[in-house]
Amino acid sequence: MAIRERLSGNEAVAYAIRQINPDVMPAFPITPSTEIPQYVASYMANGKVDTEFIHVESEHSAMSAAIGAAAAGARVVTATSSCGMALMWEELYVAASDRLPVVLALVNRALSGPININADHSDSMGARDSGWIQIYAESNQEAYDNFLQAYPIAEHEAVRLPVMICQDGFITSHGVENIRLLEDEKVREFVGEYSPAHYLLNADEPMSVGPYAVSAYYMETKRAQREAMKNAKRVILETAERFANLTGRKYGFFEEYRLEDADYAVVIIGSAAGTCKAAVDEIRNTTGKKVGLLKIRVFRPFPEEELAAALRDKKAVAVLDRSEMFAASGGPLGAEVRAALYSAKSRTELVNYFYGLGGRDITVEDFKEVYRKLEELDKTHVVRDMYAYIGLRE
């Protein structure tokens, strides 16, 4: 029987960490992810886990310690947000290139400046090319479920890449929702024991991790990372299938909400998908217009072919980014979706909007206006407001 609880997103992730009982957790506090190591530290103090907590002086040190522990053969977790991730920047690339299955609980928060502690995706989107697998949650339930799936993905012999599990700061991290938890023994059976193939503390296999690579070797390393990321697509789906068999909760690269027969679609990441679903239901129930939603769950590896297949026959699509890219091509998600549709030779009209930067609200009415503009775009085939900001004070 599943355990019914009411937890915040941070509590849910910390609960998952307790159930998994990783070997090492180096962490440095930063809003809004601070609660995660706090909760885990309380589990340690109460003897509920035997995880070794490493007190570090910065987020750069946290990821450095995570890399060292993972290279030694430990199962490792850490947590951060925003500028904390920015301070880890150098080490994010090291963890990925060294093929270390570190799991990072990332609570999305806007990057400075100006200073802002609320949700947007500028931290994780800035790290989208660092070589980490990225999985996003709409709800507290998804944050918990995604975290349980992280280690089987990261540690798979065909992958061996770090994973960041992302959720929106304060919206899910501190908001309390009803949630269904698994029993401890089921989690441990699902996640399994970690048995690294190669590690520094193996006296029978002397090795170095992260050595200097001259030009004759560096490119091959990058190619190997790319192959691992491609392999991750299969492993992500296999892990999701096992999880569905265990819980009945089904996950894929993305969720299609009333999308199959939709003429107009929104593509989005994170908690705002719930608001968009409410708009979809209201529009369909009151007008009968066929609108739908595609909510991205897995952003890295990017499911280009699968996404294009789901969208290629739509009349018009709006891609909503919660992060600026400061490029003429729009936002990071917009650029990826546009490229996917172009490769699929789709004639779908596409527009890219920015929303929610620095935690600004987006409402059902805002989404209804997006769908209205998509209908207009379908009729005129004239893009009047590409890269517009939803809710901007003029």
Side-chain angles (χ1 to χ4, degrees):
M1 291 290 292
I3 304 166
R4 295 173 181 262
E5 256 294 1
R6 287 179 295 175
L7 298 174
S8 70
N10 280 346
E11 288 179 294
V13 167
Y15 196 93
I17 293 172
R18 181 195 66 75
Q19 293 181 305
I20 295 167
N21 192 20
D23 300 309
V24 178
M25 184 178 193
F28 191 84
I30 183 169
T31 302
S33 65
T34 300
E35 287 184 328
I36 295 175
Q38 283 182 326
Y39 285 124
V40 175
S42 70
Y43 291 140
M44 296 174 189
N46 294 329
K48 294 184 178 180
V49 293
D50 51 18
T51 304
E52 183 73 24
F53 193 95
I54 304 178
H55 298 271
V56 292
E57 67 274 17
S58 72
E59 290 87 356
H60 185 281
S61 298
M63 187 52 65
S64 297
I67 288 169
R75 177 176 273 169
V76 184
V77 65
T78 188
T80 196
S81 298
S82 184
C83 303
M85 168 170 273
L87 191 54
M88 291 178 174
W89 212 257
E90 173 191 12
E91 302 305 313
L92 293 177
Y93 284 80
V94 175
S97 64
D98 287 350
R99 309 289 298 280
L100 300 173
V102 177
V103 174
L104 168 64
L106 180 67
V107 183
N108 289 112
R109 168 188 151 186
L111 276 169
S112 301
I115 295 173
N116 181 287
I117 65 168
N118 297 306
D120 73 22
H121 299 153
S122 52
D123 46 10
S124 55
M125 286 297 165
R128 65 188 179 276
D129 298 329
S130 62
W132 284 61
I133 293 168
Q134 292 189 351
I135 303 177
Y136 290 79
E138 174 191 343
S139 64
N140 302 6
Q141 182 72 65
E142 289 185 12
Y144 172 77
D145 292 349
N146 288 345
F147 204 91
L148 294 185
Q149 296 175 64
Y151 284 104
I153 295 167
E155 295 168 357
H156 193 283
E157 61 182 6
V159 179
R160 289 185 295 153
L161 288 173
V163 177
M164 61 180 73
I165 300 299
C166 308
Q167 62 170 314
D168 287 350
F170 291 109
I171 300 171
T172 60
S173 68
H174 287 65
V176 175
E177 295 179 3
N178 292 325
I179 188 171
R180 291 177 180 268
L181 304 167
L182 290 175
E183 296 86 350
D184 291 355
E185 60 274 14
K186 289 184 178 179
V187 169
R188 294 190 180 117
E189 182 180 357
F190 176 80
V191 175
E193 295 292 329
Y194 179 41
S195 299
H198 309 283
Y199 53 98
L200 286 173
L201 295 184
N202 184 357
D204 297 327
E205 185 187 28
M207 60 180 291
S208 61
V209 173
Y212 176 71
V214 296
S215 300
Y217 295 96
Y218 183 88
M219 191 179 293
E220 285 71 21
T221 301
K222 298 296 109 176
R223 171 62 185 273
Q225 285 181 249
R226 179 181 179 84
E227 291 302 309
M229 191 64 81
K230 289 165 63 177
N231 293 342
K233 291 183 67 176
R234 168 179 59 83
V235 175
I236 288 168
L237 293 182
E238 290 174 352
T239 304
E241 184 176 2
R242 283 205 301 127
F243 192 80
N245 292 336
L246 179 63
T247 66
R249 298 191 289 274
K250 297 181 180 180
Y251 292 97
F253 297 134
F254 47 78
E255 177 188 349
E256 300 178 55
Y257 187 78
R258 307 189 78 166
L259 187 69
E260 185 176 2
D261 68 338
D263 294 322
Y264 311 114
V266 164
V267 180
I268 203 166
I269 287 176
S271 60
T275 308
C276 188
K277 289 175 180 177
V280 167
D281 291 342
E282 186 172 330
I283 292 170
R284 281 186 174 259
N285 293 340
T286 59
T287 71
K289 294 178 179 177
K290 296 178 180 179
V291 298
L293 165 71
L294 190 149
K295 181 192 75 182
I296 298 286
R297 173 179 177 251
V298 179
F299 186 69
R300 285 290 182 270
F302 190 72
E304 179 177 320
E305 295 178 358
E306 296 83 357
L307 183 142
L311 295 176
R312 63 177 300 161
D313 296 326
K314 306 307 172 191
K315 293 180 179 179
V317 172
V319 184
L320 271 61
D321 269 289
R322 200 163 196 165
S323 172
E324 252 289 10
M325 195 167 72
F326 303 110
S329 57
L333 181 58
E336 300 268 3
V337 174
R338 180 181 288 106
L341 291 175
Y342 178 83
S343 297
K345 296 181 172 55
S346 171
R347 299 179 64 85
T348 299
E349 296 282 5
L350 185 142
V351 65
N352 192 185
Y353 296 127
F354 297 98
Y355 79 99
L357 302 186
R360 184 160 299 185
D361 287 339
I362 185 167
T363 67
V364 170
E365 293 303 315
D366 290 327
F367 280 110
K368 288 166 69 175
E369 178 65 11
V370 169
Y371 285 112
R372 187 195 67 76
K373 289 181 177 180
L374 286 178
E375 187 175 6
E376 179 182 332
L377 175 59
D378 175 41
K379 293 175 181 177
T380 64
H381 303 286
V382 175
V383 177
R384 302 184 186 278
D385 51 2
M386 182 71 82
Y387 322 136
Y389 293 78
I390 296 172
L392 184 72
R393 291 184 291 108
E394 298 293 348

